[in-house]
Each structure stands twice: as structure tokens, then as C-alpha cells.
Amino acid sequence: MSNFYITTPIYYPSGNPHIGHCYTTTACDSIARYRRMQGHNVMFLTGTDEHGQKIEQKAAEAGITPKEYVDGIVEIFKKLWSYMNISYDRYIRTTDDYHIESVQKIFKDLYDKGYIYKGKYVGKYCTPCESFWTSSQLKDGKCPDCGREVIDAEEEAYFFKMSPFADRLEDLLLNTDYLQPRTRATELVNNFIKPGLEDLCVSRTSFKWGIPVTFDPNHVVYVWIDALSNYITALGYDNEKYNDFDTFWPADVHMVAKDIQRFHALIWPAMLMALDLPLPKHLAVHGWITFNGDKMSKSKGNVVDPFILGERYGCDAIRYHILREMALGADSDFSNEILINRINSDLANGFGNLVSRTVAMADKYFGGTLPTEREAAPIDDELKSLATSIVGKVDAFIDNTQIKQALETIFTLVDRANKYIDETEPWKLGKDETKKARLASVLYNLLDAIRIISTLLSPFMPTTMPKVWEQIGASENDVTYGNLSKFDVLPQNVTVHKGEILFPRIDADKEIEELNAILMANAPQTEEEPDFTPEEQLPQIEFDDFGKVDLRVAKVLECEKVKKSKKLLRLQLDDGMGGRQVVSGIAQWYAPEDLIGKKVIIVANLKPAVLCGVESQGMICAADLPNGDVQVQFADDKMPCGAKLR
């Protein structure tokens, strides 16, 4: 039995977790469970990165200490991981005493070796990302990672020397399989190594919420030295809390999202090189779960609450959806339509229907217990061959952290088994007393194929598969990794037990409307939901702020109701600039025919948004009346389309 060590990044608890956090953790959990099923001794680590300026600021705003602030958020993270059936072996917090002890020793060790020196930082700083940037690294003058504004920063700091490791890092990225997918390696080399690796700022003096530098207590250890070290401190490196370092290091897989790949592909290996420690075997970099093309972000108001989704569909349906949609390295767009269609097609109509039909037929034709008399046919061989060969293909995808492809492969057997039902027509065999042996063979083959499918799916959907095993009459000894390449494993006289529907089919139209209403209630306010009443006052703005709003005259050419909403109208406008489509929540007050031919005022430079599946490229100006009605602000018909208001 070999050892296997897999880690998530440690999450920054500045706010509650969302569905994006769920992907990384669920992906690591699925791989960890798969390795345990294979017989490996697994260490699965996750945790939270709890220091930094943003936490200090958030706590001050809330009127509590930083530790009190992070304690509350960490409990929500742990609650979510319990809800999502995450089987982590260890949870590290960077506020843990043993981690603090180790980080201080690591910092001092690097200083004593000459890799850390004292200097002065002058440059740009992104507070949300806690990242320093040079002017040349900015994108349109903003943080290249999150797109937010940066501030000028100047303070005394300690720096970690990166340049001594440039050649080794380039070799690591270009000539090994450390980075998965390798397509990102050239970009990192060209953007950061070729121009010359800049030394890394590793301490701060402008805030106090961090690990103090033992030999210079005015400084706290900057986030990346602190955070990245967790992967070894959690195993007992430089502390006496644990003693697993020699067992599990180097890590087999670090899994991270692409926005922190630079730190794990360059800084973390450089730190390990400086410490003379082995490098991790693989860094798996996945994309973002996006919402209408934007990275999920609380500041954008597009965060999808996994608790809400889990309550409606169950955690396994959510686990399957997010794992099935994202290919390693690529982004995956989230929408209610994609989620519901995936649940209906794969889980309800596909796997769930396969189980329920097979169990129901065994119960109907044989009272639940199959007879042992059999009659084989050549058509059985194709199903058996696919079923017993599929584990090798899934293994290969798991080895390369390609979970989407692993699930796709498993579902080829689901599809083949459903096709086998159509080909063998057991409902016809059940009407012929002379075909009972053949019918028993068909149903047994289906049950044993389901055994293989459900065993393979158990790491990905661990809550549901035990229910499947109960329904098909499988024992704990039947659903082992060693039996995945075998057929005829279930008892010949297996007894099935009809149970609950595993994945109920969802009324898509009704569900989408309800989900959209929930998400829109948590989204930034639109014209449907005014964010203030006439009695409230907003802060005063400068003239330059007003100048950023582009108000234009437009004529309504077409107008119709949005099918999935009772509140929305879709308007096609002549805006004097080629035309555009706008969605407005005014259906309660205006019929489409009331607006066609009228001239309205629109906010022309509002970022496009999708409402109930329809893109809106702007906003209609309207007023909230004291009685609760809404009145559109119509423009004088003499004003030309495209005229700018000021």
C-alpha cells in the first residue's frame, strides 16, 4: 500500500464560501476517495488562510477581533464541507499555534541561508488579492488577477530572492509534468521568468494581523510565505504537532484555481528549493466556475450559494454537476439551465432511470429474487466487456486529475446498459414463460453492470451510491476496487429492494424561474428591484462620477414578454449606434404594445447582464412612484435616436 497526499489551497475566509470553493474541494475529495478505494494510505488536507490586511479591515468594520471574525467564517466552511460529504483527513488554520511556530522557523531558516534580506518596497499593491505588482505587470492599470484598483505602496520589508532559482523553475515547468495542464507552462515562463524573476516581498509593517518575525517583531510574515508553508507544516515540518512529513511528503497533487497558479508554480517551488526539500509531484490548475462569463465574486453579486442548491437537489447532484462540467484548465460557466439539464439528462433519465427500471423489473417478474437458471446470448458479451474494461480508463484519467473525462467514461457504461435494455426488451421476455432463464440473465447482467457503475461513482457521489447498493442487493464485499474488473460478482440469486427515486426529474421551466428569482434576490439591484426608497438618500458624487454614465435616447422597435418571467420585457431598440436589446422589469406596468414606437432613455454603458436567460445590454430609465408603481421616462419624440443626455 503506497501513500498519497493531496491538498486544496487554503481558502481565504474574508467571506462565506460559494460554489467555486466547492469545485476544488469536491475534486480533491473525489480523488482522495478514489485512491482510498484503490487501497492507498491517503492524506487529504484542506484549511483556511486567516492572516492579512483584508481580514484585519473586515474585522475592524465588524467591531470584533480578527480571530473572532475568522472563527465565524471557518465554522461556515466546515459546515459546508460536512454538508458536501467532504472526507478531509486534516484541516489546517494558519492561526493554529503549531503552524505559527513552523512559519517563524522557516522564515528564520531562509534568512540565515541568505535567501531573505531586508529592504524597502515601492510599487503597487492589490488589497483583495494581497499581491504586490510592478507597473508593467498591471493590466489596464489594475490588478492582473482580479481586475480591481491597486494602490501605491511603500514600506520597509523583507524580500525573498527568486532569481537564484530561475533556471530550475524553468526546467520544472517546461521539461517535467509538474504543471497540469502543461499548456500554462510557457505563459508562466514568458511572463515571469524570461523578463527576470523579481524578488518577493515577504513581510509587512503596515498591519499587525499576521505571524510576527521573531528577530524583527515590527514585521509580520507576508501571506504567501505563511500560506504556502501550510502544505508541510500540516505534516509536522518544524513542529511537534504531527509526525507525517516523512510519510507523505512530497505531495502527489496540489490542486488550485488558475488565479493562484503563479504562486504555486513559481514561489512555492522556489521556497522548497531554498529549504532543500523535495518538490511536489504535480500542480493541478483548474479554471473558474463563471456566471454569465464572469468569475464568481461577492463584489460582483454573482455568487451561487451551495447551501441553496444542495437543499433543492442534494449534495451528490451538485457534486456531479460541477465535476462533470469543468475540464482541467478550462473555465466552466454556471447557469440554472445547465445545472437542471445535467441533473435531468445524466442523473434522472440516465443513471437513476437505469437503476429504477432494473430493480422494478426484477421485483415485478421474480418477486425481487432472481432464479439461478440462466440463458446467455452473444449480445451480453459487449456489455460485459465494456463493464470490466472501464476501470482502467477511469484510473488513467484520475492519474491525470481529469475528473470530467473520468465521469464521461463511466457514463458510457450507463448509456450502454440503457441501450441493452432496449435491445433485449425484458418486458417482452417477461410475458413468455419459456424465456424466464433469459430474462434472469438480462436482469442479472444489468444489476452487475450497475454494481460496477455505482462502485466507480462512489468517490464522486458518496451519499447516493450506498442507496444504490441496497437496492441492487450488493454487499460491502461486492463493491470493492478489486471487483471492478470482474463480472458475475453479485450472488446468482441476488435479491433487490425497491427504494426511493435516486434523482427525481425536475420541471425545468418552473425550477429555472424559481432559481432565477433566488439568485436575482441576491444579485446587485436592477431596475426590477430598486435599492432605495424615495425617502433614502445616496452619498453625493463628483461631476466626474456622473460623467461616467452614458445616457442616450433610443426608440422601441419591438417588445415582448420574457417567457421565463412574469416581470420582464425584452425590448429591441434603435439607439442610433447599431441597435441593442434591453431587458426591463416593467411588465407589471406596461404591455408590449404600450412601448412600441416610443422613445425612452437608456443607460448605454451599463455592463451587459443575463436575466432569466436573456442578455440585457443596458437599462431603461424609470421612476418609482409613491404608490409603488413604476413609470418609464419617455423622451421627446423630436430627440434623435442616440442623442446623449447631460
Side-chain angles (χ1 to χ4, degrees), residues 338-530:
I338 295 172
L339 168 66
I340 292 167
N341 289 337
R342 179 63 69 190
I343 292 173
N344 280 343
S345 63
D346 289 14
L347 300 182
N349 296 345
F351 180 64
N353 192 38
L354 171 64
V355 174
S356 63
R357 283 203 294 172
T358 302
V359 171
M361 288 188 289
D363 185 69
K364 177 180 179 180
Y365 297 122
F366 297 112
T369 301
L370 297 187
T372 56
E373 186 180 358
R374 295 285 187 268
E375 179 185 331
I379 197 173
D380 302 342
D381 296 336
E382 184 182 342
L383 177 67
K384 292 181 179 181
S385 176
L386 177 61
T388 54
S389 65
I390 205 167
V391 62
K393 301 172 185 175
V394 175
D395 283 354
F397 286 124
I398 294 298
D399 288 344
N400 291 289
T401 59
Q402 295 176 308
I403 298 175
K404 171 184 171 69
Q405 291 85 343
L407 288 170
E408 288 174 346
T409 300
I410 297 169
F411 269 77
T412 61
L413 182 54
V414 174
D415 295 339
R416 185 65 192 88
N418 276 315
K419 183 180 178 183
Y420 179 78
I421 293 177
D422 297 335
E423 293 170 335
T424 56
E425 300 180 314
W427 52 89
K428 289 186 178 179
L429 297 174
K431 296 177 182 178
D432 188 342
E433 287 297 321
T434 67
K435 296 295 184 181
K436 290 295 185 182
R438 176 61 189 148
L439 176 59
S441 291
V442 167
L443 294 179
Y444 181 86
N445 291 340
L446 287 167
L447 289 170
D448 216 42
I450 292 170
R451 171 189 62 82
I452 292 174
I453 294 167
S454 57
T455 304
L456 285 168
L457 285 177
S458 62
F460 310 99
M461 294 189 282
T463 303
T464 305
M465 293 311 114
K467 300 176 184 178
V468 175
W469 299 334
E470 183 179 353
Q471 291 192 28
I472 67 172
S475 70
E476 185 176 329
N477 292 331
D478 297 330
V479 290
T480 64
Y481 180 80
N483 282 332
L484 284 172
S485 57
K486 303 173 185 177
F487 214 78
D488 298 330
V489 169
L490 290 174
Q492 292 297 304
N493 62 342
V494 62
T495 298
V496 302
H497 307 276
K498 290 183 68 175
E500 64 184 25
I501 297 175
L502 301 173
F503 301 102
R505 182 169 175 79
I506 301 168
D507 182 334
D509 290 341
K510 179 181 178 182
E511 188 69 11
I512 287 170
E513 184 169 357
E514 290 182 7
L515 263 185
N516 280 338
I518 293 171
L519 294 179
M520 289 175 67
N522 296 323
Q525 301 296 322
T526 68
E527 68 270 25
E528 286 192 82
E529 300 173 348

Side-chain angles (χ1 to χ4, degrees), residues 85-153:
N85 204 348
I86 301 299
S87 62
Y88 59 81
D89 298 291
R90 196 160 292 167
Y91 191 104
I92 187 171
R93 301 179 60 178
T94 56
T95 52
D96 290 335
D97 290 343
Y98 74 90
H99 175 76
I100 293 171
E101 174 191 354
S102 295
V103 168
Q104 288 178 324
K105 291 179 180 178
I106 290 169
F107 196 95
K108 182 64 162 58
D109 188 15
L110 294 172
Y111 179 79
D112 289 342
K113 289 182 175 182
Y115 290 116
I116 287 180
Y117 64 92
K118 196 172 189 178
K120 185 177 183 181
Y121 178 81
V122 178
K124 305 296 182 180
Y125 180 68
C126 175
T127 300
C129 292
E130 304 229 6
S131 297
F132 290 103
W133 302 99
T134 64
S135 296
S136 62
Q137 290 173 331
L138 300 180
K139 186 175 181 180
D140 298 325
K142 298 180 180 180
C143 174
D145 277 350
C146 71
R148 296 181 177 93
E149 298 289 341
V150 294
I151 60 174
D152 291 321

Side-chain angles (χ1 to χ4, degrees), residues 71-227:
D71 283 349
I73 302 295
V74 167
E75 283 306 306
I76 297 174
F77 269 92
K78 288 186 173 181
K79 179 182 177 182
L80 178 59
W81 300 152
S82 175
Y83 187 75
M84 294 293 290
N85 204 348
I86 301 299
S87 62
Y88 59 81
D89 298 291
R90 196 160 292 167
Y91 191 104
I92 187 171
R93 301 179 60 178
T94 56
T95 52
D96 290 335
D97 290 343
Y98 74 90
H99 175 76
I100 293 171
E101 174 191 354
S102 295
V103 168
Q104 288 178 324
K105 291 179 180 178
I106 290 169
F107 196 95
K108 182 64 162 58
D109 188 15
L110 294 172
Y111 179 79
D112 289 342
K113 289 182 175 182
Y115 290 116
I116 287 180
Y117 64 92
K118 196 172 189 178
K120 185 177 183 181
Y121 178 81
V122 178
K124 305 296 182 180
Y125 180 68
C126 175
T127 300
C129 292
E130 304 229 6
S131 297
F132 290 103
W133 302 99
T134 64
S135 296
S136 62
Q137 290 173 331
L138 300 180
K139 186 175 181 180
D140 298 325
K142 298 180 180 180
C143 174
D145 277 350
C146 71
R148 296 181 177 93
E149 298 289 341
V150 294
I151 60 174
D152 291 321
E154 179 177 335
E155 62 182 275
E156 180 183 87
Y158 285 92
F159 292 83
F160 174 65
K161 295 178 181 178
M162 291 289 294
S163 55
F165 310 104
D167 291 342
R168 291 175 64 186
L169 289 172
E170 183 172 346
D171 180 69
L172 176 70
L173 294 175
L174 297 182
N175 300 320
T176 75
D177 62 351
Y178 170 67
L179 187 62
Q180 298 176 335
R182 292 186 64 184
T183 51
R184 298 185 182 275
T186 301
E187 173 189 348
L188 285 167
V189 170
N190 289 340
N191 289 348
F192 295 100
I193 298 179
K194 292 295 187 186
L197 278 173
E198 297 190 2
D199 292 346
L200 179 71
C201 180
V202 292
S203 80
R204 300 292 303 278
T205 58
S206 56
F207 60 89
K208 296 299 182 183
W209 181 237
I211 298 174
V213 175
T214 54
F215 54 89
D216 197 345
N218 288 328
H219 290 252
V220 295
V221 179
Y222 181 51
V223 63
W224 292 111
I225 290 280
D226 177 5

Side-chain angles (χ1 to χ4, degrees), residues 52-63 66 127-128 209:
Q53 186 175 17
K54 185 160 62 171
I55 295 293
E56 189 175 76
Q57 292 173 347
K58 291 264 189 180
E61 291 169 4
T127 300
W209 181 237

Side-chain angles (χ1 to χ4, degrees), residues 228-262:
L228 290 167
S229 297
N230 92 91
Y231 301 125
I232 55 177
T233 65
L235 299 178
Y237 182 83
D238 264 347
N239 66 71
E240 297 182 358
K241 175 73 173 180
Y242 299 109
N243 59 357
D244 305 304
F245 183 79
D246 292 337
T247 301
F248 289 107
W249 192 259
D252 292 88
V253 178
H254 290 318
M255 184 173 288
V256 301
K258 64 183 181 181
D259 52 341
I260 56 173
Q261 68 171 346
R262 176 173 70 96

